[in-house]
Amino acid sequence: MVSYARPSSASIRDANLYVSGLPKTMTQKELEQLFSQYGRIITSRILVDQVTGISRGVGFIRFDKRIEAEEAIKGLNGQKPPGATEPITVKFANNPSQKTNQAILSQLYQSPNRRYPGPLAQQAQRFRLDNLLNMAYGVKSRFSPMTIDGMTSLAGINIPGHPGTGWCIFVYNLAPDADESILWQMFGPFGAVTNVKVIRDFNTNKCKGFGFVTMTNYDEAAMAIASLNGYRLGDRVLQVSFKTNKTHKA
DNA sequence: TACCATT
C-alpha cells in the first residue's frame, strides 16, 4: 500500500485538531468514534506517558477538510464524551516544530547550574554533600527522606506530583512576564530537572501565574520545594509544592 | 488568572 500525497489546498489546510481533557481510559478507536460524526478522519493519536504507557489525556485528530474540523470544535469543545466526568477541550493544533526548540535552546544556553551563586546554590550544595554522606556512610538526615524510595519503583500512579517519569512540581505566583529560564535557574541547582513549563494565556502570551517543573529524583525535588516555597522572586512570594490533580478548591 | 500536556 502506497500512501498518496494529499492535495494542499485551503480546504484541507489546518484541519488538524488538538484535544485535551480526555478520559485516561479512552482509546484511539473511541476517540475516532467520537469525532467521526463530523467528517472523515485522516489520522488520530493519543499521547501516552513513555514510561507507563498510560494516556496523557491529550491527542490529535486530523480531518480531511477544514470545515469538518470547525464543526467538530463547535460540537465537541467543552462537551463531555459519553461516560466522561469532565469536559474535553477541542481546538486547532499548533504547528509542530517552532515551540519545542525554544525549550531546548533554553535548556542548552541557560545552563541551569552555576547561574545562582548565593543561598539557593549553597543549599543545593549542602544537600548534595548530604547525599554523598548518606551513600558513603549510611547517614540519614532530615534532608534525605529515603523512606520514599520504596514508592518510586511502584510506577507511582497515585503519588502526588509523580507522573511516572519524574516528580512534577507546581509553582504558583509567577509574574506575567515569567519565562522558562527562570524556572531552570531556580530549580536547576537542586538537581536533575527534565522539564519546565510556564503556563500562558493563549491570546496575550502572558504567564497565567503558574508553571510546572519536573525533577527526576524525589529527594532533590523535595529539597527544591522546601527551599523555594515562600521564596521571594521580585515582588512576589512563590508557592511551590508537588502537583496535585484536582483544580484548586476553596 | 491555583494544577500542563501540541504528534
Side-chain angles (χ1 to χ4, degrees):
Chain A
M1 173 85 184
V2 288
S3 65
Y4 293 89
R6 303 174 65 240
S8 66
S9 68
S11 68
I12 67 162
R13 196 149 43 219
D14 302 325
N16 195 31
L17 296 180
Y18 170 78
V19 188
S20 61
L22 295 169
K24 299 290 193 290
T25 55
M26 179 177 273
T27 64
Q28 183 180 5
K29 183 179 179 182
E30 291 168 338
L31 180 67
E32 288 200 6
Q33 286 173 348
L34 180 63
F35 279 81
S36 61
Q37 58 187 309
Y38 296 97
R40 179 184 169 215
I41 295 168
I42 302 302
T43 59
S44 69
R45 177 165 300 185
I46 288 179
L47 302 187
V48 299
D49 183 281
Q50 288 189 354
V51 175
T52 66
I54 294 172
S55 168
R56 293 163 64 193
V58 300
F60 296 88
I61 292 281
R62 180 182 293 281
F63 279 103
D64 183 43
K65 294 186 171 60
R66 168 83 178 191
I67 185 66
E68 296 170 333
E70 290 172 351
E71 290 303 314
I73 291 175
K74 287 180 192 169
L76 292 176
N77 183 42
Q79 299 297 309
K80 294 178 185 174
T85 58
E86 298 301 321
I88 61 175
T89 298
V90 184
K91 59 174 83 166
F92 285 108
N94 297 153
N95 279 331
S97 75
Q98 69 210 354
K99 117 149 243 245
T100 316
N101 296 330
Q102 294 287 355
I104 294 172
L105 284 177
S106 175
Q107 196 169 165
L108 281 176
Y109 289 107
Q110 288 299 333
S111 181
N113 297 319
R114 319 229 190 296
R115 279 258 170 164
Y116 241 66
L120 294 181
Q122 287 172 26
Q123 287 180 61
Q125 282 301 106
R126 166 77 176 85
F127 183 52
R128 287 193 174 129
L129 175 60
D130 200 70
N131 270 347
L132 287 175
L133 288 170
N134 191 353
M135 285 188 289
Y137 303 111
V139 174
K140 181 166 176 287
S141 81
R142 64 199 175 95
F143 290 112
S144 301
M146 302 301 282
T147 50
I148 202 71
D149 280 12
M151 299 165 71
T152 59
S153 60
L154 301 176
I157 303 304
N158 293 317
I159 301 174
H162 195 255
T165 170
W167 298 87
C168 192
I169 298 168
F170 176 62
V171 183
Y172 179 71
N173 212 17
L174 296 171
D177 62 351
D179 70 348
E180 272 71 12
S181 69
I182 190 61
L183 294 179
W184 287 112
Q185 288 174 38
M186 286 195 301
F187 286 82
F190 292 94
V193 176
T194 57
N195 187 260
V196 303
K197 179 82 174 179
V198 170
I199 306 306
R200 296 183 174 85
D201 181 273
F202 182 81
N203 294 314
T204 68
N205 211 36
K206 291 295 184 183
C207 174
K208 293 167 81 168
F210 62 98
F212 298 91
V213 174
T214 303
M215 297 187 70
T216 304
N217 304 305
Y218 173 85
D219 48 9
E220 293 171 345
M223 189 67 219
I225 290 170
S227 301
L228 294 173
N229 185 38
Y231 181 72
R232 179 166 167 168
L233 179 63
D235 57 356
R236 291 160 173 265
V237 176
L238 299 184
Q239 293 179 39
V240 183
S241 63
F242 282 116
K243 180 187 182 305
T244 60
N245 304 332
K246 296 292 182 183
T247 303
H248 178 265
K249 325 179 223 197

